[in-house]
Amino acid sequence: MFIEEDAYMESFWVQSAIGAIKFIAFVCDIISMPVYVVLQKPWKRRELARRVKAKIVEENNKQITYRSVDPPREVHVKLLQNKIDTLEKMFNFVAKIHSTKRCLGTRQILAEEDEIQSNGRTFKKYDLGEYRWTNFLETENLASCFGRGLCELGLVAKQNVVIFAETRAEWMIAAHGCFKQNFTVVTIYATLGDEGVAHGINETEVTTVITSHDLLPKFKEILNKTPKVKTLIFMEDQLKKTETTGFPADVRVIPFTEIVSNGSKSQVPGTPPTTDDTAIIMYTSGSTGTPKGVLLSHGNCVSTMKNFCDAVKIYPDDVLIGFLPLAHVFELLAESVCLLTGVPIGYSTPLTLLDSSSKVKKGSKGDATVLKPTCMTSVPLILDRISKGINDKVNSETAFKKAFFKWAYSYKSKWVARGFQTPLLDRIIFKKVAKLLGGRIRSVLSGGAPLSPDTHEQIKLCLCVNVIQGYGLTETTSGATVMDHYDMQYGRVGAASSTNLIRLINWEEGGYRISNRPYPQGEIVIGGDSVSKGYYKLPGKTAEDFFEEDGKRWFRTGDIGEIHADGALKIIDRKKDLVKLQAGEYVSLGKVEAELKTCQIVDNICVYGDSTKHYTVALVVPNQKHLEDLAVRQGVQGVDFEGLCTSPVVEKAVVKELVEHGKKCKLQRFEVPAVVTLCKEVWSPDMGLVTAAFKLKRKDIQDRYQNEINRMYAS
């Protein structure tokens, strides 16, 4: 009884304190409102947010096409004036302009030491130093030397060269070295399994592979499946000597620095590419089958760079922290825009990004703290994890701190929606959260998949950053749309970029038509200079997905979108993810998964729908900590993680959690899974259940868990 009374009194005092804070805030709002109105001019921000960003240029009863209304900005115009239409010309041009400015930065690793943890276990940790930088002229010279060094090995123009390495400065130097000699770069994800790597190498018939110290040992197995490979070039480790023995006698294993050194002595002239030459064969992540090689020309890449420069504000003191895979079109083009606009790129890894990252020695600082970046690229998976981390931190605080944070978040959300900023509240609360990423982050670019509106809002408000979503595919060289800097809505991906057209075409089977109200809906088709020539060695698939119209290249995305009154696009579905249930309701599996991933108990989820049933089911990779907490609340104690995953009581409790979360996300009851299976294993690219970009491989997951799916539908 006394415990209940204490809890009641605590709740009473917390509510009283929050009530007093609300009253004080209300009084302050009345007093300070005139000052904020004069200084911040919120009506201007609202006008900019509502302005029309794209207009209709063609319409009939089957399709509707939009074009951007914004004129090209300064960088775009300079590229046109200087006739820069290849990546080789671009880098030569900017090296002269930005010459001695910082270009590419690599964090020093001073030592690797054993560190004993509180539980007695020992982990290897890095003692980290400062960033070491090359300026633009030095970086351009390194690329030139590397390109000539490849020529000294016997490579000739238009020959394919694979880069299979983690994101780092040498990756970018190697790529631009290839562009200078008109070699085609074949990109393969560093997390791809041996079979996927061998497929990309064999299909493109490469003889030379550029890899890294960490990935080189994999080739002792891969070379058995790739008979044409005769040269392996490896990027060295800062601390460890690379083991180069044990490879076939007819395969050369050469350090990256040796190629640069040989190239510095070479007199081989450059072989500049043309705008139509293939710069990159970029393999898709393979979420719907075997990865396909997408042909990206120099002209495609320069077109997307123009799009980004027209849409994203660049400031003189900007710094980007680069850690996403450069084998992904979004990261490669974002970093290319940094090179174009003189923005330094400091490289990082997920293991060293934050002070709390797993490889950072106690007392050392994470990369973000040292670099203090202003911009970063991200994908929804990472932002969802940051969002959950914020929620976990808040929920671990006292009742008063939790209530205060909830009020502050709601307060800021209300005023931001009206066009105001909240500098005092940011200084007291939210800037402390932003310090996790160095304290200077002002812009986060999100791509790769649609971002949940809830996550979008939380990251924007809690980190005090502008979260800019883009939309595009490997087949469109990324940025077909980019969210407007002033857009105040969440969950949209922006209007058509400056060199692209966005078209919606009726999809009758799914009920998506341009005549739908309040907004036209349909399959998204993208046209313009950034659209690829097609798939490597797949003429049938190229003809199926690509077409020409009035001299313009178009790509059928398979995504479903709607375009709002201001011309901004929202992704609402995907043709391949749509399931019709027994009662006739359509369920968008991807949309449901995106919303339920923001639930604290979910680390990953794959929803399955059988058209002969009236409900969906789900395979859930649970968050261990939250699952254990949920089990305790259900009275299940003394059971290990694997046991919890098979507990019927816990399964039902997870379903209840998903139902409650689904209500908050405004999902329909029939969309939320009625039965779940809790998976003990974390899905990784090595398992073949997610792609290297961590997108679900739906068919492979269903094949692996078919017995569990049958059990759920039989229950």
Side-chain angles (χ1 to χ4, degrees), residues 49-104:
R50 289 194 296 259
R51 71 185 178 86
V52 173
K53 302 160 189 73
K55 65 180 181 180
I56 298 169
V57 293
E58 180 195 350
E59 183 177 9
N60 57 42
N61 60 354
K62 291 184 178 179
Q63 61 187 40
I64 187 169
T65 307
Y66 289 78
R67 183 193 297 278
S68 171
V69 299
D70 293 333
R73 290 169 68 175
E74 183 183 0
V75 176
H76 187 157
V77 172
K78 278 186 179 178
L79 291 174
L80 294 173
Q81 288 173 339
N82 291 277
K83 298 180 180 177
I84 294 170
D85 55 3
T86 68
L87 293 166
E88 184 262 349
K89 288 180 183 177
M90 181 276 289
F91 204 23
N92 290 341
F93 175 69
V94 298
K96 292 172 185 173
I97 294 174
H98 301 297
S99 58
T100 59
K101 187 176 181 181
R102 295 185 306 173
C103 183
L104 303 182

Side-chain angles (χ1 to χ4, degrees), residues 455-644:
T455 299
H456 190 163
E457 181 179 27
Q458 187 175 35
I459 297 297
K460 179 179 178 178
L461 298 184
C462 291
L463 297 186
C464 306
V465 297
N466 195 18
V467 181
I468 299 173
Q469 279 205 79
Y471 168 70
L473 305 94
T474 309
E475 291 86 346
T476 65
T477 327
S478 190
T481 73
V482 182
M483 188 176 166
D484 186 77
H485 177 77
Y486 296 102
D487 198 335
M488 292 161 64
Q489 294 193 47
Y490 303 110
R492 308 197 304 174
V493 295
S497 298
S498 52
T499 69
N500 289 103
L501 297 171
I502 298 294
R503 176 178 291 172
L504 299 183
I505 297 179
N506 288 346
W507 185 40
E508 298 292 345
E509 183 184 348
Y512 294 110
R513 305 178 185 88
I514 64 164
S515 58
N516 287 0
R517 294 292 177 266
Y519 305 118
Q521 298 175 329
E523 180 183 1
I524 303 165
V525 181
I526 298 167
D529 297 339
S530 67
V531 176
S532 162
K533 292 180 284 186
Y535 298 115
Y536 187 68
K537 292 184 178 179
L538 291 172
K541 186 63 176 168
T542 297
E544 181 184 333
D545 292 347
F546 296 85
F547 65 95
E548 293 270 350
E549 182 181 288
D550 298 330
K552 200 175 289 293
R553 194 96 177 128
W554 293 82
F555 175 69
R556 302 179 179 92
T557 68
D559 291 324
I560 304 298
E562 66 180 26
I563 295 185
H564 294 180
D566 61 353
L569 175 69
K570 182 176 183 180
I571 311 300
I572 58 173
D573 217 331
R574 180 157 178 80
K575 287 170 76 172
K576 291 177 182 174
D577 286 352
L578 204 66
V579 173
K580 188 177 184 180
L581 298 181
Q582 188 180 45
E585 306 106 330
Y586 279 99
V587 177
S588 171
L589 304 179
K591 181 191 84 171
V592 173
E593 288 159 355
E595 295 291 0
L596 295 184
K597 267 184 195 172
T598 62
C599 181
Q600 295 289 94
I601 201 133
V602 176
D603 269 356
N604 213 338
I605 183 169
C606 179
V607 180
Y608 180 83
D610 185 333
S611 58
T612 66
K613 308 294 183 183
H614 65 275
Y615 61 92
T616 64
V617 298
L619 299 155
V620 176
V621 178
N623 178 282
Q624 184 168 346
K625 178 184 179 301
H626 286 287
L627 189 72
E628 289 168 352
D629 290 345
L630 179 65
V632 170
R633 294 200 299 272
Q634 302 303 312
V636 179
Q637 297 188 41
V639 181
D640 62 14
F641 178 67
E642 291 195 3
L644 295 180

Side-chain angles (χ1 to χ4, degrees), residues 77 179 203 222 226 289 316-317 332-333 349 365 384 400 407 412 414 495 499-500 537 547 552 571 622 664-665:
V77 172
F179 299 150
E203 187 169 76
I222 292 171
T226 56
D317 66 339
L332 179 59
L333 267 296
T349 75
K365 298 294 184 184
D384 283 341
F400 173 73
W407 167 80
K412 182 175 180 178
K414 176 183 70 176
T499 69
N500 289 103
K537 292 184 178 179
F547 65 95
K552 200 175 289 293
I571 311 300
K664 294 177 188 174
C665 298

